Amino acid sequence: MNGSTLQTFAAECTEELPGAQLEHPFGPDWEVFKVRGKVFMLMTEVPGRPVVILKTDPGEAQALREHNSHITPGYHMNKKHWITVEGGTGVDKKLVTDSYLLVVSHLPKAEQPVDPHTYGTSTRAPR
């Protein structure tokens, strides 16, 4: 998947996330996705190529960087808590959803648009 396709795919993933909003607080070169005012994803071409920047657990961030050459520390973000994703294989909806749920889990319970521990899991009993 190339960088432009990655950005389109990531933006489409956010359409299903309750409370997710697109803003442009840093100008037209930055697409910033927030939930309840907190950033969970950014997209830009400022570094000279299309990238998606996602919040992640520090341990997960390190593992992702070690196993994927197209995942690097967060561009212009805290390198411990953010990753930059360029085109490549292994990029899926889970990265975007995990970033969103990480941010939601740190919101006050009354502000959480979903339960971060159960969102996306089936509530139906197996047949």
Side-chain angles (χ1 to χ4, degrees):
M1 178 178 318
N2 68 33
S4 296
T5 304
L6 171 66
Q7 286 185 332
T8 301
F9 174 76
E12 288 171 354
C13 290
T14 67
E15 293 173 5
E16 300 174 16
L17 301 174
Q21 295 181 315
L22 170 61
E23 298 181 11
H24 294 90
F26 310 122
D29 293 336
W30 287 87
E31 292 189 346
V32 179
F33 293 83
K34 296 181 179 184
V35 58
R36 301 295 193 256
K38 303 292 183 184
V39 177
F40 69 91
M41 182 173 81
L42 302 99
M43 295 191 310
T44 187
E45 292 188 25
V46 169
R49 62 203 177 282
V51 297
V52 175
I53 305 161
L54 298 161
K55 188 164 183 102
T56 190
D57 173 80
E60 182 71 13
Q62 183 176 351
L64 287 166
R65 289 190 301 262
E66 288 175 1
H67 294 92
N68 299 280
S69 61
H70 59 281
I71 298 179
T72 57
Y75 177 77
H76 273 288
M77 303 299 279
N78 180 309
K79 307 303 185 214
K80 184 177 179 181
H81 297 276
W82 292 85
I83 57 171
T84 296
V85 183
E86 297 183 42
T89 59
V91 176
D92 61 18
K93 182 177 175 180
K94 186 176 180 334
L95 285 176
V96 175
T97 303
D98 286 353
S99 179
Y100 167 84
L101 291 174
L102 181 61
V103 172
V104 167
S105 72
H106 288 93
L107 293 171
K109 193 162 188 98
E111 293 183 30
Q112 294 178 350
V114 298
D115 181 339
H117 305 292
T118 61
Y119 180 76
T121 61
S122 176
T123 57
R124 289 192 292 179
R127 293 182 185 201

